[in-house]
Amino acid sequence: MANNTITTNTSLAVTSTTSTPSAHLPEPYRIALIVIYSVVLLVGITGLGLMISLLKTNIRSLTTIAFLNLMIAHFLFLLTVPFRIYYFAFQTWSLSPGMCKLVSAMVHIHIYMVFTIYTIILTLRFLQYYKKTQRTEFYRRLHALGASVLVWFLLLLIMLPLVLSQYGNKSDGTDDFATQKQCFKFQNVLNNKPVYALNMILSIFIIIVSGFQTCIQAIILHVMVRKYGGASRSQQEFWVQIKNLTFVLILLTCLVPYHLFRLQYLNHTKDLHAINEVFLAITGLTCFDMLTFTGKNVCQVCWT
């Protein structure tokens, strides 16, 4: 009788342990994620507040319009950051699965919007340097606002539903939410060959374009230093290129490492899920770009 009781209690204990939801991420990774996202939120809010004055500049400038759209992209991303901090702190998702999908998708949308806007700004600056274009303004302010509205309309109407629909299958991690209240576990969708191929193409494209932009920026700075020598720092164009270099460095430190790692992650999603979340969080540090444009003198040098 005693042996049967011990066996029964042992079986119950094993069953209880098995049914207990496992932690979404190991504690060191959760702490790292909480710290990174907290820094992103603090710096992002500070940068947005300091850049409000940018709204008073020439709204017809293509560069200014691009940067204003960059601010909007950061703002929408920052709205979702508190949900990530809360989830990694308490390891449970109390909101709906739809909200989980939205928060999860927003970090990826933010990456591609930031990369696209950076590419537009750098391309405009490179063309100006090589005198391929002289006019970088809309003819009317309404045209500038209309272009921005069109970009965000296409994003919200096409891109956002498309991204969310990728996480609509039962095999993408929805079962984890239903049984364990866990979020951000949609890596199974990468088993879909078209999704896998698309992610591979996007990662390789971002890596190649970022490398190409880095080479162009390095050549421009090299030419200017050789031309002006020690007097380079007195040239306004030199400081414009330094601002361009800031964009390039942010690409190289925040976006490129994630996509280099993603080439490996796509083939080992289960083993590398935790470290992938850390690399994904680092992409949010692109919000630091707003701090580089604060200050009246800096903005004058940048936007002239």
Side-chain angles (χ1 to χ4, degrees):
M1 180 66 69
N3 291 336
N4 292 338
T5 302
I6 293 174
T7 303
T8 302
N9 291 336
T10 302
S11 300
L12 290 174
V14 173
T15 303
S16 177
T17 302
T18 304
S19 62
T20 301
S22 58
H24 174 50
L25 292 173
E27 185 172 355
Y29 291 100
R30 291 195 302 108
I31 294 175
L33 289 167
I34 292 171
V35 171
I36 294 173
Y37 280 121
S38 296
V39 171
V40 168
L41 185 62
L42 178 61
V43 172
I45 292 176
T46 302
L48 283 174
L50 293 174
M51 289 307 298
I52 293 299
S53 59
L54 184 62
L55 296 173
K56 301 178 182 179
T57 61
N58 181 11
I59 197 66
R60 294 185 302 169
S61 168
L62 284 173
T63 308
T64 304
I65 288 296
F67 195 76
L68 290 176
N69 281 278
L70 181 62
M71 290 174 60
I72 295 174
H74 287 329
F75 173 72
L76 294 177
F77 167 66
L78 289 172
L79 289 178
T80 66
V81 171
F83 296 100
R84 287 182 170 271
I85 296 175
Y86 177 86
Y87 174 70
F88 290 126
F90 295 96
Q91 303 185 75
T92 184
W93 186 262
S94 302
L95 301 177
S96 66
M99 189 64 183
C100 172
K101 296 176 184 179
L102 178 61
V103 174
S104 180
M106 189 54 67
V107 67
H108 296 282
I109 293 176
H110 179 251
I111 290 173
Y112 297 124
M113 286 300 297
V114 167
F115 172 78
T116 300
I117 296 173
Y118 276 17
T119 300
I120 292 173
I121 293 175
L122 289 171
T123 301
L124 290 174
R125 290 301 189 184
F126 293 156
L127 290 176
Q128 283 181 330
Y129 176 80
Y130 288 109
K131 309 300 181 183
K132 297 298 183 181
T133 179
Q134 296 294 331
R135 186 178 182 87
T136 58
E137 293 185 356
F138 289 93
Y139 288 99
R140 294 183 179 180
R141 180 175 298 184
L142 184 61
H143 293 167
L145 296 177
S148 297
V149 171
L150 178 62
V151 170
W152 287 103
F153 175 78
L154 293 175
L155 171 68
L156 297 177
L157 187 65
I158 299 176
M159 185 175 179
L160 183 57
L162 180 62
V163 173
L164 292 178
S165 66
Q166 290 186 0
Y167 303 123
N169 300 322
K170 292 183 179 180
S171 61
D172 63 5
T174 306
D175 291 340
D176 289 324
F177 176 86
T179 59
Q180 301 180 7
K181 297 295 182 180
Q182 293 188 2
C183 189
F184 312 138
K185 298 186 69 175
F186 301 114
Q187 63 269 27
N188 288 340
V189 74
L190 296 174
N191 294 329
N192 188 325
K193 290 185 178 180
V195 176
Y196 172 88
L198 178 61
N199 277 268
M200 273 289 187
I201 293 172
L202 288 175
S203 293
I204 294 173
F205 176 78
I206 289 177
I207 293 169
I208 292 176
V209 172
S210 299
F212 182 67
Q213 292 171 338
T214 302
C215 291
I216 295 177
Q217 187 62 66
I219 292 172
I220 291 175
L221 286 174
H222 177 70
V223 170
M224 293 191 68
V225 170
R226 289 192 60 183
K227 180 178 180 180
Y228 297 108
S232 297
R233 288 181 293 179
S234 63
Q235 301 294 320
Q236 182 175 340
E237 180 62 26
F238 175 78
W239 292 107
V240 172
Q241 296 304 324
I242 291 298
K243 290 301 172 183
N244 294 345
L245 181 62
T246 301
F247 284 118
V248 172
L249 292 177
I250 292 176
L251 282 174
L252 294 179
T253 57
C254 297
L255 298 187
V256 171
Y258 169 71
H259 286 91
L260 284 172
F261 169 78
R262 193 164 180 80
L263 297 178
Q264 180 72 10
Y265 167 72
L266 290 172
N267 296 308
H268 303 88
T269 55
K270 293 183 178 180
D271 298 332
L272 301 177
H273 174 64
I275 188 64
N276 178 69
E277 288 290 342
V278 176
F279 273 98
L280 192 61
I282 292 175
T283 64
L285 295 177
T286 53
C287 292
F288 275 79
D289 56 15
M290 292 181 289
L291 294 182
T292 65
F293 293 93
T294 57
K296 182 177 180 180
N297 293 332
V298 174
C299 288
Q300 285 180 345
V301 170
C302 177
W303 302 119
T304 52

